Amino acid sequence: MVTRKIDQRTAPDTYLLPRLRVSLRQLEVFVATARAGSTRAAADRVARSQSAASAALADLEAALGRALFNRVGRRLSLNEDGRALLPKAVALIDRAFELEHLFTESYAAPLRLAASLTIGEYLLPGLLAHWKLDHPSHVVRLMIGNTREVIEAVAAFEADVGFIEGMQTHPQLSVRPWLVDELTIVASRTHPLAGHPVTPRQLREATWALREHGSGTREAVDLWLLERVGPLKVEFELSSPEAIKRLVATGVALGCLAREVVASDVAQGTLVELTTNLPRASRRLSMVLHRDKHIGQHTAEFIRHCEQMDGATRRSAAA
């Protein structure tokens, strides 16, 4: 890009910066439209009228010389150029947000997290409680879903950090190993297989209640049991660990969940862990980040807080 030299008689070492054709306001509307799917919904997110949002988007496309969306009726979906622009636009807006509040110590951007069910319901609450003690001004927004949904949220910039149990990957995300947990097979105290060693054949012939496909727990259970036990009689597929525990406690099925998830139930005697000759089923829990996402100071601090999680903190978090 060419710059124009000004009158050197008055300021010989000064040059005019190139004039920007793209504004942060236009990028803000673009990102909101990408997330909402229409300028009407985007206008609500950025507190502007629909006509102003549409004009900002049109000005951005004119400045770039590219259409950024596929337009089908009133619905807008990112095209190839829009997908290339999105991560860079989000990064610029995040940095501008930090700059805007650089000298406002009392304000902190919301901490946007997404976590799979086991992590979100049993590990993160304790971590967040400890974090909040040292960061009282922070607002935390936590979305809980299965591993597939967490990955989609981080890829769409709806979450700054994701926590997953599965081995799924995404080309736009980086995966950081975090903790290791262990799966265990549980039954009610009245189940015929409770209280004595169980063979693979007995496990194969039993009725099971497992997580749905797409969850990290289900992926890990399949990897662990299918090869060693064979096809299971999965007659219940539930998207909630709590629902699985309640169902298993009635005695109608076996379950397989993370040890943290069932620890209090086993301690109270509503569930028992089955004894088998199967090898231990350890799995890696991970953090996922978008490769093109700018990680702000407070988000980076929270990541370090999570990486310092020790055994004592983990037990209190799951309690």
Side-chain angles (χ1 to χ4, degrees):
M1 186 174 293
V2 178
T3 60
R4 179 167 55 87
K5 186 182 292 186
I6 67 171
D7 190 344
Q8 293 190 8
R9 291 174 298 179
T10 57
D13 296 324
T14 306
Y15 294 86
L16 287 178
L17 292 174
R19 203 175 157 195
L20 295 175
R21 295 175 297 157
V22 173
S23 72
L24 286 171
R25 179 64 71 183
Q26 292 168 352
L27 293 176
E28 186 181 37
V29 171
F30 163 72
V31 171
T33 303
R35 289 173 173 168
S38 71
T39 54
R40 179 185 295 275
D44 293 335
R45 294 191 177 196
V46 297
R48 305 191 81 188
S49 67
Q50 183 181 1
S51 60
S54 298
L57 187 58
D59 289 344
L60 175 63
E61 291 182 321
L64 297 176
R66 292 285 191 278
L68 302 172
F69 292 90
N70 298 311
R71 289 165 167 82
V72 182
R74 296 183 179 180
R75 187 71 183 173
L76 301 180
S77 61
L78 288 173
N79 61 20
E80 184 176 353
D81 291 327
R83 287 192 294 273
L85 176 62
L86 182 61
K88 294 178 173 55
V90 171
L92 275 173
I93 292 171
D94 286 347
R95 288 183 181 273
F97 191 88
E98 284 190 354
L99 185 151
E100 195 172 82
H101 297 90
L102 183 62
F103 305 109
T104 309
E105 295 182 2
S106 61
Y107 184 85
L111 187 63
R112 302 182 306 160
L113 310 175
S116 58
L117 278 157
T118 297
I119 299 173
E121 293 185 345
Y122 297 93
L123 293 179
L124 277 186
L127 264 175
L128 290 172
H130 286 93
W131 165 260
K132 192 68 173 173
L133 291 175
D134 296 326
H135 301 81
S137 64
H138 282 64
V139 174
V140 178
R141 296 174 182 166
L142 172 61
M143 183 277 284
I144 298 178
N146 63 32
T147 291
R148 180 189 302 158
E149 292 167 336
V150 172
I151 287 176
E152 290 173 354
V154 178
F157 299 98
E158 295 171 358
D160 301 318
V161 187
F163 295 84
I164 63 172
E165 307 159 36
M167 299 174 62
Q168 298 182 41
T169 59
H170 189 285
Q172 294 177 308
L173 305 185
S174 62
V175 180
R176 296 187 184 184
W178 182 37
L179 299 174
V180 174
D181 77 347
E182 184 179 346
L183 297 174
T184 184
I185 301 172
V186 291
S188 75
R189 298 175 61 185
T190 60
H191 194 281
L193 299 183
H196 54 80
V198 180
T199 67
R201 179 178 178 179
Q202 289 173 310
L203 295 176
R204 188 167 56 249
E205 294 175 350
T207 296
W208 289 79
L210 298 178
R211 287 288 306 280
E212 80 286 4
H213 288 285
S215 81
T217 297
R218 179 60 180 271
E219 180 183 18
V221 169
D222 288 345
L223 286 173
W224 182 39
L225 294 180
L226 286 180
E227 180 180 344
R228 298 171 177 85
V229 175
L232 302 178
K233 292 171 57 180
V234 183
E235 298 187 11
F236 302 93
E237 288 190 345
L238 306 175
S239 61
S240 164
E242 288 298 319
I244 291 176
K245 290 194 295 182
R246 288 177 180 272
L247 184 65
V248 170
T250 68
V252 301
L254 303 181
C256 187
L257 293 165
R259 191 174 297 280
E260 281 88 359
V261 173
V262 301
S264 61
D265 303 88
V266 171
Q268 295 169 10
T270 55
L271 295 177
V272 297
E273 295 187 45
L274 295 189
T275 302
T276 74
N277 60 358
L278 298 175
R280 296 178 62 181
S282 298
R283 60 173 181 167
R284 174 70 66 178
L285 308 181
S286 303
M287 283 186 274
V288 290
L289 306 167
H290 200 291
R291 297 182 186 276
D292 297 318
K293 177 77 170 63
H294 167 65
I295 300 299
Q297 174 187 347
H298 299 301
T299 302
E301 290 174 358
F302 180 73
I303 291 173
R304 288 193 292 272
H305 174 73
C306 293
E307 290 173 338
Q308 294 167 0
M309 185 179 191
D310 58 20
T313 306
R314 182 171 178 173
R315 285 190 293 274
S316 64

